[in-house]
Amino acid sequence: MKRLLAAVALIALGTQALAADLLDTVKARGSLNVALEGTYPPFNFKDKKGELTGFEVELSRALAQKLGVKAQFTTGEWSGLLAGLQAGKFDVVINQVGDNAKRREVFDFSIPYTYSSAQLIVRRDEKRVFKSLEDLKGKKLGLGLGTNYAEFAKSVSGIDVKTYPGAPEYLQDLAQGRLDAALNDSLMIPFAIKQSRLPVKAGAPVGEVVTSAIPFAKGNPKFKAAIDQALKTLIADGSFKKLSLKWFGTDISKAPTAR
């Protein structure tokens, strides 16, 4: 009988441990275990000294501080991040994860923290007005090879779509007049323009606005409330905007607009 009671007690303790909210686990551990690629500038990457930096690295540290813990990072290929999260290898993935319906079947998400859309890039002295892809019929549009935007651009007949290895190449052709416009994600454009040092600028947003948020295991209401409140506080006190301006030159907690 004593052995039976002891076994029941152990099972009860195990059940309580499994039922513990992620917030309690994080606080007891003293760290928020964050997974990201570490190769995705300006969101997260390694500097010349080999140390992790970028917008999402700094955001992770700020969020962990709000929770009263420190951020600990795990880097890996994008293809394995969500699988690792599902396997319980880390607490959250902070790596521009779109909070779509399919992923919500598996994970819970924080409130959105970035907003983006497809956006045009034009020459700094461009006098023509391109407000949509329809305005580019009969024009040359450059974009990165293998990106989601190739299919999007080709959905409008009449656009001469040119693909390039990356932003440096198509921005160079744009600046030299070999393209009428280019297309990229609105969050990447300020960084790409800054890196290029070419006379180009962000044009009009031309796609639907999409949001990114922080995924974590389902069934952790206390953690969700805490991470949402931490994000809201960082946005309300100006900390989020300060980080946004540092890395992107604009406040990415709001829907993109032409600049």
Side-chain angles (χ1 to χ4, degrees), residues 156-230:
V156 178
S157 62
I159 300 177
D160 186 2
V161 178
K162 307 289 186 181
T163 57
Y164 294 78
E169 291 81 9
Y170 64 66
L171 291 180
Q172 186 69 42
D173 270 11
L174 176 62
Q176 294 180 3
R178 290 192 283 267
L179 294 172
D180 296 289
L183 187 68
N184 202 339
D185 185 283
S186 61
L187 297 184
M188 300 301 295
I189 288 175
F191 183 78
I193 290 175
K194 183 178 180 180
Q195 292 291 102
S196 74
R197 299 183 180 180
L198 292 170
V200 295
K201 64 181 181 179
V206 292
E208 293 182 0
V209 173
V210 296
T211 61
S212 293
I214 302 170
F216 48 90
K218 281 183 172 293
N220 294 284
K222 288 168 59 178
F223 181 81
K224 175 170 173 54
I227 205 76
D228 284 352
Q229 186 56 52

Side-chain angles (χ1 to χ4, degrees), residues 4 73 90 99 118 131 159 197 203:
L4 178 59
F73 296 99
F90 19 80
D99 55 345
K131 293 184 178 181
I159 300 177
R197 299 183 180 180

Side-chain angles (χ1 to χ4, degrees), residues 5 20 23 26 34 38 40 54 68 78 81-82 86 91 101 103 108 123 139 141 162 173 198 203 210-211 226 229:
L5 291 174
L23 181 63
V26 166
V34 179
Y40 188 39
W78 165 249
L81 293 184
L82 294 181
Q86 192 171 5
D91 302 321
R103 288 176 180 154
D108 281 339
R123 284 183 291 279
K139 307 292 191 302
L141 176 68
K162 307 289 186 181
D173 270 11
L198 292 170
V210 296
T211 61
Q229 186 56 52

Side-chain angles (χ1 to χ4, degrees), residues 11-21 25:
I11 292 172
L13 286 172
T15 303
Q16 288 174 4
L18 289 173
D21 193 280
T25 304

Side-chain angles (χ1 to χ4, degrees), residues 23-139:
L23 181 63
D24 299 323
T25 304
V26 166
K27 286 185 173 292
R29 187 198 305 134
S31 64
L32 177 68
N33 293 343
V34 179
L36 39 72
E37 288 178 271
T39 56
Y40 188 39
F43 294 98
N44 55 79
F45 61 102
K46 291 185 178 180
D47 61 20
K48 294 179 180 178
K49 296 181 180 179
E51 296 179 356
L52 275 174
T53 188
F55 170 75
E56 287 174 327
V57 174
E58 293 195 36
L59 176 62
S60 297
R61 289 178 175 140
L63 289 171
Q65 185 177 38
K66 293 297 182 185
L67 297 180
V69 299
K70 292 184 178 181
Q72 297 290 337
F73 296 99
T74 298
T75 59
E77 294 184 3
W78 165 249
S79 59
L81 293 184
L82 294 181
L85 179 62
Q86 192 171 5
K89 293 182 178 179
F90 19 80
D91 302 321
V92 293
V93 175
I94 302 183
N95 196 96
Q96 286 300 285
V97 183
D99 55 345
N100 58 47
K102 186 175 181 180
R103 288 176 180 154
R104 285 186 176 273
E105 293 177 1
V106 182
F107 306 106
D108 281 339
F109 279 81
S110 70
I111 60 172
Y113 69 95
T114 68
Y115 293 76
S116 67
S117 74
Q119 188 165 13
L120 296 175
I121 311 169
V122 296
R123 284 183 291 279
R124 193 177 297 163
D125 61 354
E126 181 61 74
K127 298 296 190 296
R128 295 170 297 176
V129 178
F130 303 131
K131 293 184 178 181
S132 68
L133 289 184
E134 296 289 334
D135 295 332
L136 288 167
K137 288 185 175 181
K139 307 292 191 302

